Amino acid sequence: MMNEKKRMREEIAARLAALSKEARDAGSRRIAAKLYETEAWKQARTIGITISIDQEVDTYEIIRTAWKEGKRVAVPKCDRRTRTMTFRSIRDLSQLEIVYMNLREPIPSVTEAVDPAELDLLIVPGVAFTKTGGRLGYGGGYYDRFLAEYQGITAALAFSAQLMPAVPTEPHDQSVDLVLTEQ
Ligand SMILES: Nc1nc2c(c(=O)[nH]1)N(C=O)[C@@H](CNc1ccc(C(=O)N[C@@H](CCC(=O)O)C(=O)O)cc1)CN2
Ligand SMILES: Nc1ncnc2c1ncn2[C@@H]1O[C@H](COP(=O)(O)OP(=O)(O)OP(=O)(O)O)[C@@H](O)[C@H]1O
């Protein structure tokens, strides 16, 4: 199972590496536009979202749009010891710091924790997805743990290159409600 997951992560990484910066930027814009049309986005007062890196769908523009629309934006802070996450609200990007692996996280001393129950919409990152919400993550288990308790709406933003007919799943794997792609 771990090898199956590893192989799929490598395959998707290669597919994403083959996309041009232009294709990624255009794809990200279309995905964001689709997100804004969802009822979940329109209704959400507080959203949980990651700070995108590398080959991920861009979330910076989505975060700026959320702020413009008066939404509260909460981003994850990981605890590597317990492999759990806490969401903390940010008002601007200066409240972020790079902690490890190029990942930006909220600076605890200048941000406040947000109760998971207050997240109306959670944007979930991942490597591969199925159209119906099956999800393969990066292997940290952070979102599988978080989603096991989380009750709100979840959506994933993915390039169509990240869609697979099926993803390897174990009992702890959590799916998402909605997968939005550029297509
Ligand atoms: N942009 C973005 N932010 C995100 C995520 C994401 O997928 N994308 N995450 C999605 O979950 C969380 C961070 N995920 C992480 C996953 C693994 C490790 C990690 O430390 N893994 C190994 C080393 C990695 C390796 O095997 O090479 C370790 O524990 O040392 C850390 C964070 C929260 N923030
Ligand atoms: N709810 C949970 N409770 C305890 N351990 C868990 C839970 N969810 C996942 N794990 C553990 O986390 C590790 C990573 O799981 P997996 O490879 O499925 O992560 P992933 O779905 O790729 O990661 P993520 O959810 O962070 O994106 C595994 O060792 C798994 O057993």
Side-chain angles (χ1 to χ4, degrees), residues 135-166:
R135 168 181 181 271
L136 172 67
Y138 290 90
Y142 287 101
Y143 276 88
D144 286 327
R145 277 189 199 81
F146 190 84
L147 292 176
E149 310 292 329
Y150 176 72
Q151 303 291 332
I153 300 170
T154 54
L157 314 178
F159 297 113
S160 45
Q162 292 173 269
L163 286 183
M164 296 295 278

Side-chain angles (χ1 to χ4, degrees), residues 108-145:
S109 60
V110 299
T111 54
E112 275 175 23
V114 172
D115 188 316
E118 290 177 32
L119 300 174
D120 303 306
L121 169 63
L122 182 64
I123 308 290
V124 179
V127 179
F129 298 92
T130 68
K131 278 185 176 164
T132 53
R135 168 181 181 271
L136 172 67
Y138 290 90
Y142 287 101
Y143 276 88
D144 286 327
R145 277 189 199 81

Side-chain angles (χ1 to χ4, degrees), residues 15-68:
R15 289 191 191 178
L16 291 174
L19 294 180
S20 66
K21 170 98 167 57
E22 289 69 32
R24 276 209 294 273
D25 288 350
S28 289
R29 279 195 297 273
R30 294 205 44 175
I31 292 163
K34 271 198 188 171
L35 174 66
Y36 305 151
E37 282 170 15
T38 64
E39 220 38 51
W41 173 270
K42 290 177 190 168
Q43 302 289 329
R45 296 182 58 231
T46 302
I47 63 161
I49 190 166
T50 49
I51 309 294
S52 58
I53 51 165
D54 306 331
Q55 303 175 357
E56 294 179 327
V57 173
D58 178 76
T59 59
Y60 284 88
E61 211 41 54
I62 294 169
I63 290 169
R64 286 192 198 96
T65 301
W67 281 330
K68 249 187 259 164

